[in-house]
């Protein structure tokens, strides 16, 4: 069997996903065969593997960092929120139903432990190392009894736990100490130490605090990663994007032509796969922003209506905010609009939905000659085709079945004037097609924008993953990390009071 490590975090968005990817890339460079693993993921950003399984995009990104093909084994449980209190449960890549949070944590989650442990066991029999990512914080003591993704999986596999803290938020020492002290004695035995993320400044000024933390907890810090702009790596949570504004934190590269191209993405509720526009943001001279007001569409050269887990809800939101009228005006004026997946469905004439929203018959925006009927079975596919004379690859994740009754064919959807619609996610990552599409947009918008002739989204993604590997290799104690992965948690780690009461016994497979 292989070694392994669980990367946990003091909070959501502490950096677990990128640290896991960075460790995977570092190990791969060293010739270690490695696989990522996240037992349970809650995300609206998902991906379709070659065998037709739906998993979190973060795990697909981590698999790319490890230079392996992503599979359902790497993310056996995916929860896709459909509202404040319920989620679609995707098990081994296939949807198995909707469930409330109470129902899931009340029994279903614990019943999945054997499944996730079995997946981890299979990965460990295939790879030299498995790097697991936790979810949220391991110190969510109200959920510990049914936990299968943090200390639950660490206990089952006897994996050491590395806790990541985002120092840019402040309070990282209290977070490290408090996270450890809220765990039971048995869980604390696995917490090997800490990793500081997003540090700005002189590390020597931090070192006294790290020494004090070691004295208080008996646990060392395995590295201090500097704040790094412009990573652009797939995120799990689309809910924060509209607050963040620009897609990329890096400085926008200058345009090749005389003009920039402005792209406005409607930040619809339950937005899914907002990473579709990352390839646009990677183009020199293209400025991509998420918007939620009608006036923000006025100076946009292209408006994108992205995917959503709530098509009818997004349609209502667009109408309530005046964005629907603004989109209709754009269409009438011949100004470009692109709808992707749920956004494509919104642009159609009519929706019949007894599955997702159970709203029944609903009128769409009527900008494309399309009628949509929601089927109970989800379409999960990796289509390949051609558009604008260029090859295109993508992936499909949707319940809505579109009947296209007119317009020009466009991938699986259609085009009418300058309004485009498709169910294909990821199509803009096809470089030649993206350049041709942006040329069409610039022409319709009257912009003297010229796509860069040599932008390769795949190459940029590899460079970003290499940057993550560099962060680990240059700023973490890699020898100590390897010892953790190979030998497990250090012996004799002290207990930090008060500790939580012992959780229910965790089933452990001897093969692990």
């Amino acid at each position: 069997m292989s070694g392994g490590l669980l990367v946990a975090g003091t909070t959501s968005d502490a950096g677990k996903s990128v640290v896991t990817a960075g460790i995977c890339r570092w190990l791969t460079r060293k010739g270690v065969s490695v696989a990522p693993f996240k037992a349970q993921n809650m995300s609206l950003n998902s991906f379709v593997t070659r065998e037709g399984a739906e998993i979190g995009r973060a795990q697909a990104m981590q698999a790319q960092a490890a230079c392996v093909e992503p599979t359902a084994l790497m993310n056996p449980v995916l929860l896709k929120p459909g509202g404040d209190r319920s989620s679609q449960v995707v098990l081994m890549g296939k949807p198995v139903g909707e469930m409330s949070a109470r129902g899931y944590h009340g029994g279903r989650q614990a019943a999945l432990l054997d499944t996730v442990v079995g997946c981890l066991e299979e990965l460990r029999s295939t790879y030299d190392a498995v790097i697991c990512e936790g979810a949220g914080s391991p110190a969510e003591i109200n959920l510990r009894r049914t936990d299968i993704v943090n200390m639950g999986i660490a206990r089952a596999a006897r994996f050491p736990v590395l806790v990541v803290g985002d120092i840019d938020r402040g309070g990282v020492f209290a977070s490290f100490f408090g996270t450890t002290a809220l765990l039971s004695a048995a869980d604390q035995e696995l917490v090997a130490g800490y990793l500081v993320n997003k540090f700005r400044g002189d590390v020597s000024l931090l070192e006294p605090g790290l020494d004090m933390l070691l004295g208080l907890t008996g646990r060392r810090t395995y590295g201090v990663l500097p704040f790094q702009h412009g990573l652009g790596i797939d995120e799990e949570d689309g809910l924060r994007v509209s607050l963040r504004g620009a897609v990329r934190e890096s400085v926008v590269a200058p345009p090749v032509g005389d003009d920039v191209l402005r792209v406005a993405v409607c930040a619809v509720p339950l937005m899914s796969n907002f990473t579709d526009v990352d390839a646009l943001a990677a183009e020199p001279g293209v400025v991509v922003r998420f918007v939620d007001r009608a006036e923000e569409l006025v100076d946009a050269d292209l408006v994108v209506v992205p995917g959503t887990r709530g098509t009818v809800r997004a349609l209502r939101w667009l109408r309530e905010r005046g964005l629907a009228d603004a989109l209709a005006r754009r269409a009438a004026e011949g100004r470009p609009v692109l709808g992707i997946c749920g956004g494509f469905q919104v642009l159609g004439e009519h929706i019949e939905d007894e599955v997702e929203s159970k709203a029944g018959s609903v009128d769409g925006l009527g900008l494309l000659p399309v009628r949509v009927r929601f089927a109970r079975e989800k379409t999960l596919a990796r289509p390949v085709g051609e558009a604008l004379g260029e090859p295109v690859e993508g992936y499909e994740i949707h319940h809505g079945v579109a009947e296209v009754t007119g317009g020009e064919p466009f991938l699986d959807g259609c085009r009418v004037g300058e309004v485009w619609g498709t169910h294909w996610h990821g199509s803009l990552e096809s470089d030649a097609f993206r350049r041709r599409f942006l040329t069409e947009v610039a022409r319709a918008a009257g912009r003297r924008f010229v796509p860069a002739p040599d932008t390769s989204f795949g190459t940029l993604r590899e460079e970003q993953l290499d940057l993550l590997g560099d962060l680990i290799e240059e700023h973490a104690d890699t020898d100590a990390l390897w010892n953790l992965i190979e030998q497990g948690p250090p012996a004799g780690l002290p207990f930090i009071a008060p500790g939580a009461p012992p959780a229910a016994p965790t089933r452990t497979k001897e093969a692990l």
Side-chain angles (χ1 to χ4, degrees), residues 169-412:
R169 293 181 173 186
V172 73
F173 292 115
S175 297
F176 283 146
F177 183 89
T179 296
T180 308
L182 280 175
L183 300 177
S184 68
D187 285 347
Q188 287 191 27
E189 288 176 1
L190 301 178
V191 177
Y194 312 109
L195 186 74
V196 176
N197 192 28
K198 298 184 183 178
F199 179 73
R200 306 173 192 252
D202 185 348
V203 176
S204 66
L205 299 177
L206 189 67
E207 288 173 351
L210 300 180
D211 291 339
M212 292 174 68
L213 183 67
L214 174 62
L216 288 167
T217 67
R219 290 160 174 85
R220 58 165 298 178
T221 299
Y222 285 78
V224 178
L225 307 187
F227 190 97
Q228 181 67 55
H229 285 280
L231 290 175
I233 295 297
D234 296 350
E235 297 184 63
E236 292 183 352
D237 186 4
L239 302 180
R240 294 176 295 101
V241 174
S242 62
L243 302 177
R244 191 178 66 183
V247 172
R248 296 172 65 82
E249 297 171 344
S250 56
V251 176
V252 177
V256 175
D258 295 330
D259 289 341
V260 299
L261 209 61
R262 297 171 176 84
V263 179
V265 184
C266 296
V268 297
L270 299 174
M271 180 166 46
S272 62
N273 288 73
F274 63 87
T275 47
D276 282 333
V277 299
D278 280 355
L280 295 179
E283 284 284 349
V286 176
V287 181
V288 180
R289 296 190 68 83
F290 288 87
V291 303
D292 58 7
R293 296 179 297 179
E295 56 267 30
E296 295 176 293
L297 304 190
V298 174
D299 66 347
D301 301 308
L302 169 66
V303 173
V304 177
V305 187
T308 172
R309 254 279 283 160
T311 299
V312 171
R313 178 175 170 180
L315 184 58
R316 183 171 61 248
W317 181 87
L318 290 168
R319 286 179 168 138
E320 290 171 349
R321 289 178 168 263
L323 290 160
D325 290 339
L327 289 168
R329 286 194 296 271
R330 288 187 66 90
E333 295 166 0
R335 303 177 67 199
V337 175
L338 171 64
I340 302 174
C341 199
F344 167 43
Q345 297 165 7
V346 161
L347 299 180
E349 297 171 342
H350 191 75
I351 297 170
E352 289 286 339
D353 181 12
E354 298 291 350
V355 176
E356 188 176 78
S357 69
K358 298 180 173 59
S361 181
V362 179
D363 288 334
L365 298 185
L367 305 185
L368 290 175
V370 176
R371 300 179 70 85
V372 176
R373 175 185 56 82
F374 274 71
R376 296 198 176 279
E377 184 175 348
K378 181 183 283 191
T379 296
L380 297 170
R382 290 279 294 269
V384 177
E386 182 179 294
L388 302 179
E390 301 292 349
V392 187
E393 296 183 13
Y395 56 99
E396 295 184 67
I397 306 169
H398 54 92
H399 284 279
V401 178
E403 178 189 359
V404 179
T405 60
E408 301 176 41
F410 176 63
L411 301 177
D412 68 333

Side-chain angles (χ1 to χ4, degrees), residues 446-464:
R447 296 288 185 187
R448 292 176 296 176
F449 169 84
V450 178
D454 55 355
T455 301
S456 167
F457 185 75
T459 299
L460 290 173
R461 175 50 52 88
E462 281 297 312
E463 290 174 355
Q464 291 167 336

Side-chain angles (χ1 to χ4, degrees), residues 6-322:
L6 174 72
V7 178
T10 57
T11 62
S12 295
D13 199 37
K16 297 183 293 291
S17 294
V18 295
V19 168
T20 300
I23 292 174
C24 286
R25 178 53 59 104
W26 158 62
L27 289 173
T28 299
R29 288 174 176 173
K30 298 299 183 184
V32 178
S33 69
V34 58
F37 178 76
K38 186 163 186 172
Q40 173 193 296
N41 196 349
M42 177 173 280
S43 178
L44 288 172
N45 274 349
S46 58
F47 181 75
V48 179
T49 67
R50 295 204 178 278
E51 74 265 33
E54 185 179 9
I55 66 171
R57 268 199 73 103
Q59 279 61 66
M61 174 270 292
Q62 291 160 358
Q64 185 177 350
C67 299
V68 296
E69 190 68 30
T71 73
L73 292 172
M74 298 172 184
N75 180 206
V77 181
L78 173 63
L79 306 178
K80 302 193 72 175
D84 294 334
R85 296 189 177 183
S86 67
S87 295
Q88 183 181 66
V89 180
V90 179
L91 179 61
M92 296 303 296
K94 304 297 180 184
V96 294
E98 297 279 336
M99 187 168 291
S100 69
R102 180 177 292 275
Y104 184 69
H105 290 286
R108 180 62 186 267
Q109 186 181 35
L112 294 173
L113 181 60
D114 285 342
T115 297
V116 301
V117 168
C119 290
L120 179 55
E121 180 181 33
E122 187 168 344
L123 290 173
R124 293 187 69 185
S125 68
T126 307
Y127 295 92
D128 297 331
V130 179
I131 308 302
C132 304
E133 179 188 346
S137 163
E140 292 167 350
I141 55 178
N142 56 313
L143 304 178
R144 176 61 185 92
R145 182 179 61 84
T146 56
D147 169 49
I148 63 171
V149 64
N150 289 307
M151 302 311 300
I153 197 69
R155 287 269 291 275
R158 299 303 301 171
F159 273 180
V161 178
L162 182 69
V163 181
V164 178
D166 179 357
I167 196 169
D168 199 49
R169 293 181 173 186
V172 73
F173 292 115
S175 297
F176 283 146
F177 183 89
T179 296
T180 308
L182 280 175
L183 300 177
S184 68
D187 285 347
Q188 287 191 27
E189 288 176 1
L190 301 178
V191 177
Y194 312 109
L195 186 74
V196 176
N197 192 28
K198 298 184 183 178
F199 179 73
R200 306 173 192 252
D202 185 348
V203 176
S204 66
L205 299 177
L206 189 67
E207 288 173 351
L210 300 180
D211 291 339
M212 292 174 68
L213 183 67
L214 174 62
L216 288 167
T217 67
R219 290 160 174 85
R220 58 165 298 178
T221 299
Y222 285 78
V224 178
L225 307 187
F227 190 97
Q228 181 67 55
H229 285 280
L231 290 175
I233 295 297
D234 296 350
E235 297 184 63
E236 292 183 352
D237 186 4
L239 302 180
R240 294 176 295 101
V241 174
S242 62
L243 302 177
R244 191 178 66 183
V247 172
R248 296 172 65 82
E249 297 171 344
S250 56
V251 176
V252 177
V256 175
D258 295 330
D259 289 341
V260 299
L261 209 61
R262 297 171 176 84
V263 179
V265 184
C266 296
V268 297
L270 299 174
M271 180 166 46
S272 62
N273 288 73
F274 63 87
T275 47
D276 282 333
V277 299
D278 280 355
L280 295 179
E283 284 284 349
V286 176
V287 181
V288 180
R289 296 190 68 83
F290 288 87
V291 303
D292 58 7
R293 296 179 297 179
E295 56 267 30
E296 295 176 293
L297 304 190
V298 174
D299 66 347
D301 301 308
L302 169 66
V303 173
V304 177
V305 187
T308 172
R309 254 279 283 160
T311 299
V312 171
R313 178 175 170 180
L315 184 58
R316 183 171 61 248
W317 181 87
L318 290 168
R319 286 179 168 138
E320 290 171 349
R321 289 178 168 263

